[in-house]
Each structure stands twice: as structure tokens, then as C-alpha cells.
Amino acid sequence: MLSGVGIICFTASYGVALVLELTRLLFRSGIRGALLLGFTGAGLLAHSLFLYYRAASAIGSPLSSEQDWYLWAAWALAGTYLYLTYYHPRTAFGLFVLPLVLALIGVAVFLADPQPFARKPASQVWAAIHALSILLAVVAVLVGFVAGVMYFQQARRLKRKLPPPRRLRLPSLEWLDRANSRAIVVSTLMMGVGVLSGVLLKLINHAGQTDSVPWNDPVVLSTMILFGWLVLAVAIGLIFKSARAGRKVAFLTLASFVFLVVVLGVGLLMDTQHGGKNRSPTPACHSPCTVEGGTS
Amino acid sequence: MKVRVVGCSHHNVPIDVRERLAFSPRQSQAALEELRRKSPKLEAVLISTCNRVELYMATENATALSRAEVAEFFARFHGLKPDEVFEQLYERTGAEAVRHLFAVAASLDSMVVGEPQILAQVKQAYQLATEQECVGPLTHAAFQAAVKVARRVATETSIHERRVSIPSVAVADFAQQIFERFDDKRTLLIGAGEMADETLRYLRDEGARDVTVVNRNAGRAEELAAKWRGRAVPWDRLGDVLTSADLVISTTGAERPVVSLDLFREIEPARYRWPLFVLDLAVPRDFDPAIGQRPGVYLYSIDDLRTACQQNRHQRDKELPAAIRIVQQEADRFMAELHHRATGPVIRQLKQGWQKPKEEELHRLLNKLPELDDRGRDEIRQSFDRLINKLLHPPLESLRRESRHGIPHALLDALAKLFQLKD
């Protein structure tokens, strides 16, 4: 029914939106805003239908595989971009957000494992909470990263006393600062819920066993380090008033992104028991055609 | 069918002359009333701003007021000598008048090219003329088109975004890039320079409310604080108010910096690196330039702002030809439509002239074919209509094409003679 709606459809839509964003650097246009909303909206619709189709027909619940998880993360980030573009049509958010959306889709298609996570019926709710909260934490870190990069670019221009480039509009430092601070808080809260639900999930699945939580698993370990870093970042802001705004918050969000890349890299490339899988260090080649429901 | 503008602007007369010829809203209303009484068929819109006083007139059949008549009208209204006024006025007619209106609305004829207020003033002038029942189809079309042109220029060029005055650049290109809103920010005014006044006005327009004034002269500080509904603070509390400020405008006449790096370092820990926007408009500078290197401080001197202004002016000049091209294109299109409207009576007569024989022939044919059902009759009727349209298409297209260069009087005469059209 929806087999024609594939990864290539929404990837192409986001790709066109990115090209349209790039044209901001070249010329002004009265219709670019409408085209951007149109292509991103169409891409998001196709993306939603694709994910719905996968959840409904093949696997039974969303976020049930590593591949799904990356596609949902891309969907959430694309949705954030659409929202921002609708309310701030003259700001070039797409130049920063869309490459991340396309990168997440790329990882989903070429690197992520399409095999479903091992689940027991009793722990499905906790598994969903775990996956969803980690996903939201990751999206918040990515949004914070984008806001951090924009902050440094804007601050650099202002320090150099240059007029704002008309073709690459950025939000004010105050707006970016607020986005950074919120991103750190949201990502920490969501990561906390994710870690807690992950522990509970393990305890439920391995009831009665003494070593139920594999703390030394690379994914678990790196996730805990990321969580620890996020808690530290929030604590720094709470303790030191001067770290609540400006460059320091932007630095914290950039560092969070680096930690996130490490965690995702570990999850993709290293041998891990996380999610009930056991994989050799060499990533399996998942061609796009293995994605169920896709036409790519 | 004529469009004419008579008036004066900052291009040809100094401000003292413009002031004497300017119309307040109430005077504009009275002037339009008088014009309507005097020439009921004349469409008129009076634009009066600090940079121009212009009377736009349009008429289908009546005669628009000449430059001398407008000079007399203005002179009588303001109690001046007509000859004196006549010398100060320019006159533009037809396509030139339309092009001028479009350029005015798009802010290409303004003293500060690209300033946004003029479009609102043009709209207000048109609104007032509408209320006074002085507008008609021509002025309606021209002013609607002018608004459209202004929007097109604003969309397709960045001419309106290029600020060229120091206070506007300071606020729009820098302060608004640091702060999202100003109603929750604390503004500190050090000194009482003229440019501070103007900058503060821009900031007030953006919502700044909390103003603190520090001045060596306590009386002057109180005076300025009363003017800006702020509070005056003694000079020796400069460090305290600087600690809590978000925006600082400094314009003292001091010979050495009033805020040294040492003073700033003293208050810096209490600021917790919250952003501080400093406009140092004083010469010599009030803030030690090294303060600009401190984290969270965005310090701009008058020279920094002047450089930004020059860059903006340069960029704006580069965009000006594109904006002029848009005005030209739209004026040509408007005039072509206007000329084409003048051919309306001939087109109407042509169409009506062909209708009668068509109906007669159709009637005769259908009477001869009584066996035809409704569908067959409709087919024949539609066939006749298509034939008429095809026959009329070449002359109508020729009229449209010729209208681009003016009212095609020769072609209209030829058509009238060929098809025996009567007025």
C-alpha cells in the first residue's frame, strides 16, 4: 500500500530543501520560504508515512530496531526544523539542521542494524520509554549543537563588528543562548529518564540475576559517560552563575555533541550486548534495499 | 486620461521651504475638500511628509490642475505668494508621474533611501483622500500598484535592510543581533550627546523601557531622565549601574575614558558575563577599547559604526539599479494597462457591432433547421461565438500591443472608420 513511499522520497525532499537553503547564500527570492516549507513538509509527511508503515506492518512497534531509532531521530529533527522555519522564515536554520537530518538518515541506511531489538512482552513499555527518552535526549543535544555553532558564528561576527550578512541570517545571541540552555536541561532530563528506564528494563528482563545490568558494555558505559557529562554541565550552570549564559553554555552543548558522537559511534561500530544484539566490530553492510517498505 | 504630480521634495528645496508648504493631516483634509469642490471630476491624493509635498492628480476626462494652478492653490492655502511657490514646484506627467509615485512608495526617492516610513505615509495619504472621496479608478489603480511595487522592491532587494545612519545601524545591525527583546533590558545613558538621544529613540521603538541616566551635571541627568521616563543616578554610582546594565550608550565630552579597563575588571565578576552592549559614541572614547575584548562585552565606537554604515551604503548602492529596474518595469506595465483601458469603448463597440449580425444569422439558420435538438443548437451557437472571437482576436491583439507605447489613437481611428464605429 505504502511501499512506494521510501527513504529516497523523504531524503530527496530534505536534500532539495538543503539546496534551497544554500541558495540563500546566492540570491534573494520571494518564493523560497514557501518552497522550503513545501519540500520539508512533503519530506516529513513521506517520512511519517514510512515510519508508520514500518511500525504497523512489519515490526509491530516503533523504535524497535537501531535503524528505526535513527530514522525516528531524523524525523524529530526534521520536525524541529520545519517548526523553526515556519516561525523564523528568514533565518538559515536549514544550513545547520538539514545536514544532521541527512546524516542521521545516512547512518540509518548504511550503518545501523535493521534487526529488531530482543524484547520480552513484560518489558515492552519500559523498552519504549527507554528508546523514546534517549531519542529525545539525542535530538535535544543535536539542537543544542546547532544553536551552539550558530552562537559562535554570531558572536564572532559581533566581536569583529561586521554588519549582519543579509543572506545568512542568524538568530540573536539571546535567542541562541536560551536554546542552548534549554537543550542542555532537556537532554539531561531525557537522558536521565532513558538511563533509569534502561536499568529498570534490565532488572525486569533479568529478574533474579545478580549481574543483570552490563555496566561494562561499551554502549552502556559511553551512555553513562554522556549522562554524567550532561549532569555535570547542568551542575556547572547551577553552581557557577557565569556559566549559565553566553559562550560557556555554547561550549557545553558542543562538548555534549562530541560525547554523543562517541556514544553513537560506539553503538554502531563496537561489539555490544545492548539491545540484545551481539555483533562483530566490523559493521554489517545494510544496503538501502534491506529497509522494509523502502524503495531505495 | 491623465496622471500628473506637482510638488516639491528634499531634492529641489531646502527644509525651510518644505516646512512652509507642508500640510498637517487636518490641512490636508481641508485642501482635499476644497479640491473636490473646485474640480469634482478630478482624482487627487496629497502626500505631505517632512521630505516632500506632492499633489497627485488623475482624470479620465477633466483637466488636471497645471503647475501654475497648483502653485496658486498651495500659495492661497498657506498665505504665500504664488510666484514664489511656483518656482519651488516640479511637475511630472503620464509615465513619468507614475514612475515617480512608484519610486516614492518604494523609498527610492527618500532622503535616506530604503527608510520604511514612507510607504505607510503614502498609504495614509491615499486613505485620507479616500475618506474625502477624492479618489477614483485611476488613483486607486496607481496607488494599489505603488504599494505592490514597494513590496516587490522590499522582497527582491535588500535595499530596506541597509541602514545608513549610525543610530539605526547600532540598534538594528548590532543591538538586535545580541538581544531578542528590549523591554526586559536595562539601558544606561552616560552623558548627554545628541546622537544618544536619537539612539535611545530607536531603542524605545524596539521596546526599551528601563532607562538610567548618569551625568556629571545632576540637573542635566534629571532633565534627561524626565524626558525618557527613566531615573537619574549620581555620577559616583557609575560602577553600580554599569554592573546591572545590558545596554550602554555613552556620549560624554570627557577627555579621557570614563570607564577604564581597571574599573570594568572591578565590576566584571558581579556581571557574571551576561552580554553587555556598549555604544561608545564619544570622541575621544569613553570606554577603554580593551574592554571590548572581555567575554560577553560587545563594544562599538563611532568609527566602528561608521564603517558598518559605509559598508551598508556600498551594498545598498549595488542593489539600487535592481530596485530602479523593478520600478521601471512596473511603471511600464501600469501605463500599458492604463492605455489599454482607453481602448475600452472601441473594443466594446467592436464586440457589440459583431453581435447583431451574428444573432441575425444564427436566428435564420436555426429557423431553417427545426429538426435540430438542443445539443445541436448549442453546438452551432458555440461555433458562431468561436468564429466571432477568432475574427476579433487580431484587431484586439494589435490594440493591446500598440497600447504599450501609449494610447493608439491612429489605430483606434482606423478601426472606427473601418467598422463604422460611432462615439
Side-chain angles (χ1 to χ4, degrees):
Chain A
M1 179 177 58
L2 290 170
S3 58
V5 182
I7 287 178
I8 201 158
C9 295
F10 55 83
T11 308
S13 294
Y14 298 146
V16 172
L18 178 59
V19 170
L20 285 168
E21 285 279 7
L22 285 166
T23 62
R24 280 183 197 270
L25 305 172
L26 304 174
F27 56 86
R28 292 170 68 90
S29 166
I31 58 160
R32 181 169 38 225
L35 288 174
L36 272 174
L37 289 175
F39 275 102
T40 312
L44 201 61
L45 181 66
H47 200 155
S48 309
L49 291 172
F50 178 83
L51 292 171
Y52 171 77
Y53 177 68
R54 277 174 68 84
S57 68
I59 297 156
S61 84
L63 294 166
S64 52
S65 72
E66 195 175 70
Q67 190 171 57
D68 258 16
W69 190 89
Y70 275 97
L71 289 173
W72 274 100
W75 179 85
L77 202 57
T80 308
Y81 165 67
L82 187 64
Y83 172 84
L84 290 171
T85 303
Y86 182 77
Y87 286 103
H88 307 273
R90 302 180 80 180
T91 308
F93 284 111
L95 290 177
F96 302 86
V97 180
L98 287 172
L100 289 176
V101 172
L102 294 173
L104 286 170
I105 295 170
V107 171
V109 172
F110 296 108
L111 294 173
D113 192 345
Q115 297 305 313
F117 297 125
R119 280 184 187 178
K120 293 179 181 175
S123 61
Q124 272 203 356
V125 172
W126 286 110
I129 292 172
H130 174 64
L132 183 66
S133 51
I134 296 280
L135 184 140
L136 291 175
V138 167
V139 171
V141 170
L142 293 174
V143 170
F145 168 69
V146 167
V149 171
M150 288 173 132
Y151 184 95
F152 280 115
Q153 185 154 344
Q154 182 74 299
R156 184 167 160 266
R157 178 188 73 74
L158 288 165
K159 278 282 187 188
R160 292 173 69 192
K161 304 167 185 194
L162 297 171
R166 305 294 156 178
R167 287 174 182 163
L168 184 63
R169 274 178 176 271
L170 296 176
S172 67
L173 289 184
E174 187 180 6
W175 192 95
L176 292 166
D177 199 32
R178 206 165 51 229
N180 270 324
S181 306
R182 285 179 185 172
I184 282 210
V185 172
V186 170
S187 58
T188 309
L189 287 175
M190 286 297 115
M191 192 57 85
V193 173
V195 167
L196 200 64
S197 55
V199 171
L200 284 170
L201 186 64
K202 277 290 171 190
L203 291 175
I204 292 167
N205 285 345
H206 299 263
Q209 297 173 24
T210 51
D211 59 340
S212 55
V213 182
W215 295 108
N216 56 353
D217 181 276
V219 170
V220 176
L221 191 63
S222 58
T223 305
M224 288 308 293
I225 292 172
L226 172 60
F227 178 54
W229 162 255
L230 290 171
V231 170
L232 184 68
V234 172
I236 289 172
L238 288 174
I239 297 165
F240 303 105
K241 211 174 166 184
S242 62
R244 283 182 209 167
R247 292 167 62 83
K248 284 195 179 172
V249 180
F251 270 125
L252 293 177
T253 51
L254 294 195
S256 304
F257 176 73
V258 174
F259 277 104
L260 175 69
V261 170
V262 171
V263 173
L264 297 180
V266 166
L268 287 167
L269 304 172
M270 288 187 72
D271 195 12
T272 174
Q273 298 289 320
H274 185 254
K277 62 182 182 181
N278 194 355
R279 189 170 57 193
S280 67
T282 313
C285 176
H286 306 297
S287 69
C289 58
T290 62
V291 177
E292 213 160 334
T295 57
S296 51
Chain B
M1 199 175 284
K2 279 188 183 125
V3 184
R4 176 180 291 167
V5 56
V6 179
C8 64
S9 75
H10 61 96
H11 289 300
N12 66 321
V13 295
I15 189 161
D16 57 315
V17 177
R18 297 202 303 273
E19 276 170 354
R20 280 190 287 155
L21 291 175
F23 288 80
S24 68
R26 189 172 289 180
Q27 286 175 320
S28 295
Q29 197 176 336
L32 289 169
E33 265 176 27
E34 194 180 323
L35 273 173
R36 196 189 58 217
R37 271 199 310 275
K38 192 177 167 189
S39 314
K41 288 185 178 173
L42 183 71
E43 299 175 28
V45 178
L46 180 61
I47 296 178
S48 179
T49 72
C50 51
N51 286 331
R52 66 186 66 250
V53 179
E54 290 175 336
L55 181 65
Y56 288 85
M57 296 165 284
T59 171
E60 294 268 7
N61 304 310
T63 313
L65 300 185
S66 67
R67 184 176 155 201
E69 285 169 319
V70 173
E72 196 185 321
F73 177 70
F74 281 4
R76 201 172 59 248
F77 206 90
H78 292 293
L80 303 167
K81 289 180 187 166
D83 291 350
E84 189 188 342
V85 175
F86 182 81
E87 292 298 317
Q88 314 295 345
L89 300 182
Y90 50 68
E91 178 185 16
R92 292 187 176 113
T93 54
E96 217 184 323
V98 170
R99 202 161 39 242
H100 180 74
L101 170 63
F102 290 0
V104 167
S107 188
L108 303 183
D109 197 60
S110 299
M111 187 179 275
V112 178
V113 173
E115 54 94 4
Q117 289 87 0
I118 184 66
L119 182 59
Q121 289 166 332
V122 169
K123 283 182 188 171
Q124 278 165 8
Y126 177 68
Q127 180 67 30
L128 185 66
T130 307
E131 285 164 13
Q132 296 307 311
E133 296 173 5
C134 283
V135 296
L138 286 174
T139 40
H140 178 76
F143 277 78
Q144 292 296 319
V147 171
K148 200 179 97 186
V149 173
R151 287 190 183 136
R152 204 183 142 198
V153 169
T155 308
E156 294 179 25
T157 73
S158 64
I159 215 152
H160 293 74
E161 296 166 22
R162 304 286 176 188
R163 274 112 184 153
V164 291
S165 76
I166 283 175
S168 64
V169 164
V171 174
D173 285 1
F174 295 108
Q176 284 185 324
Q177 304 295 312
I178 295 168
F179 301 114
E180 191 66 12
R181 47 190 285 199
F182 292 89
D183 56 346
D184 59 347
K185 302 293 180 299
R186 290 174 180 174
T187 305
L188 171 63
L189 180 62
I190 307 173
E194 195 179 305
M195 214 178 283
D197 210 46
E198 207 179 329
T199 310
L200 211 47
R201 198 173 313 124
Y202 272 98
L203 284 173
R204 291 293 283 225
D205 288 348
E206 294 302 328
R209 295 286 170 268
D210 187 341
V211 178
T212 304
V213 182
V214 177
N215 199 298
R216 285 185 202 276
N217 181 333
R220 182 78 177 121
E222 290 288 351
E223 193 184 309
L224 282 169
K227 182 180 177 185
W228 293 107
R229 278 170 282 164
R231 64 194 172 102
V233 168
W235 182 259
D236 55 8
R237 285 193 53 215
L238 175 61
D240 295 343
V241 283
L242 193 58
T243 308
S244 57
D246 298 296
L247 299 103
V248 178
I249 305 164
S250 194
T251 56
T252 74
E255 288 177 5
R256 52 180 61 189
V258 294
V259 181
S260 63
L261 183 60
D262 289 339
L263 171 64
F264 190 78
R265 278 201 169 126
E266 276 175 35
I267 64 154
E268 200 174 19
R271 287 196 53 82
Y272 299 109
R273 298 192 178 182
W274 289 108
L276 176 65
F277 173 66
V278 184
L279 275 182
D280 188 350
L281 303 175
V283 180
R285 286 179 284 187
D286 282 341
F287 277 66
D288 185 332
I291 294 171
Q293 304 303 316
R294 305 301 302 159
V297 179
Y298 299 92
L299 170 63
Y300 301 91
S301 70
I302 193 108
D303 280 357
D304 299 329
L305 296 171
R306 204 168 277 143
T307 307
C309 287
Q310 277 166 359
Q311 286 178 11
N312 278 354
R313 193 172 284 120
H314 177 66
Q315 287 297 324
R316 195 190 63 188
D317 290 348
K318 271 169 63 179
E319 299 234 4
L320 202 53
I324 292 169
R325 214 162 32 241
I326 291 170
V327 165
Q328 183 66 49
Q329 271 175 11
E330 293 289 343
D332 289 348
R333 186 180 302 165
F334 179 84
M335 289 311 292
E337 281 170 16
L338 202 63
H339 295 146
H340 192 243
R341 277 174 59 168
T343 64
V346 169
I347 292 172
R348 207 161 35 246
Q349 283 184 52
L350 259 179
K351 284 183 175 170
Q352 282 166 355
W354 285 73
Q355 280 299 320
K356 197 181 168 197
K358 183 198 86 176
E359 288 297 333
E360 284 170 2
E361 281 306 307
L362 200 57
H363 184 69
R364 202 171 64 81
L365 180 65
L366 294 179
N367 278 346
K368 282 189 175 178
L369 302 167
E371 69 279 10
L372 275 179
D373 57 8
D374 286 348
R375 192 171 163 229
R377 284 166 179 264
D378 283 347
E379 279 296 328
I380 291 174
R381 194 174 292 278
Q382 283 170 19
S383 181
F384 268 62
D385 285 340
R386 276 198 298 274
L387 183 67
I388 297 290
N389 286 340
K390 282 180 181 174
L391 287 169
L392 279 174
H393 181 72
L396 295 187
E397 191 50 36
S398 297
L399 274 175
R400 179 175 291 279
R401 202 169 42 243
E402 290 300 313
S403 297
R404 286 178 202 154
H405 314 294
I407 299 173
H409 294 290
L411 192 57
L412 288 172
D413 286 347
L415 282 170
K417 279 178 189 161
L418 278 170
F419 294 98
Q420 297 184 340
L421 306 174
K422 290 169 188 168
D423 289 338

